[in-house]
Amino acid sequence: MRDFGGTPERADPARESASGTGRDSSGTPKGPAPGTAEGPAIRVALPTHLRVLADVGREVEVWLSTPSEATQRRLLDEVERLHPRLRGTIRDHDTGARRAYMRYFAGRDDHSHDDPDALLPAVVRSGEEPFRVVGAIAGG
């Protein structure tokens, strides 16, 4: 079912549990070994076309080893490491700069032009809100 902003999209439960939350095909978490990461997983919400490409659910979870690493750059590096098909789709493959038609949000706040090495907002670092990657629409 397509998601046009109305009724929430219904994902295949097997696919959602296997790959949508940072788990491998056997359902084992892709996160770090116990005790190697501090704090909750950071949730990253992806647009439909990137979810299809990476074969994941609405969100992926990323664990960073320390809270000081919770920056846009480090988060997206880890998303691309866990899901290599996404490399070059959210950021330029060579420079790492945000692609022109991709936007980043935390809650209602646009963080697309933030310094990539600045800490992510507290609501994202705590796992309360996902870091949203949104494909912008252009045209007239």
Side-chain angles (χ1 to χ4, degrees):
M1 178 185 298
R2 292 182 184 239
D3 184 2
F4 293 106
T7 306
E9 180 179 307
R10 298 189 191 283
D12 174 3
R15 187 172 135 195
E16 185 75 24
S17 65
S19 60
T21 58
R23 297 177 183 272
D24 65 20
S25 60
S26 69
T28 304
K30 286 185 180 179
T36 60
E38 296 178 21
I42 295 175
R43 299 166 24 224
V44 180
L46 298 171
T48 302
H49 69 287
L50 295 182
R51 293 192 314 249
V52 170
L53 181 64
D55 192 27
V56 296
R58 286 185 174 271
E59 294 180 350
V60 295
E61 293 178 339
V62 174
W63 287 266
L64 300 176
S65 51
T66 63
S68 63
E69 288 186 3
T71 66
Q72 232 180 60
R73 182 183 320 274
R74 184 69 186 102
L75 177 65
L76 294 174
D77 285 348
E78 189 65 7
V79 167
E80 290 173 345
R81 185 188 71 76
L82 292 170
H83 305 284
R85 287 180 164 183
L86 295 179
R87 189 158 187 235
T89 62
I90 299 170
R91 302 178 299 172
D92 182 83
H93 191 1
D94 296 321
T95 67
R98 177 184 57 86
R99 290 220 171 264
Y101 291 100
M102 299 305 281
R103 309 292 290 190
Y104 308 145
F105 289 87
R108 293 179 175 247
D109 298 328
D110 186 346
H111 293 275
S112 304
H113 298 289
D114 289 0
D115 177 353
D117 294 314
L119 279 177
L120 293 168
V123 294
V124 171
R125 293 191 319 261
S126 69
E128 183 180 331
E129 288 280 336
F131 180 79
R132 290 184 178 87
V133 176
V134 178
I137 298 174

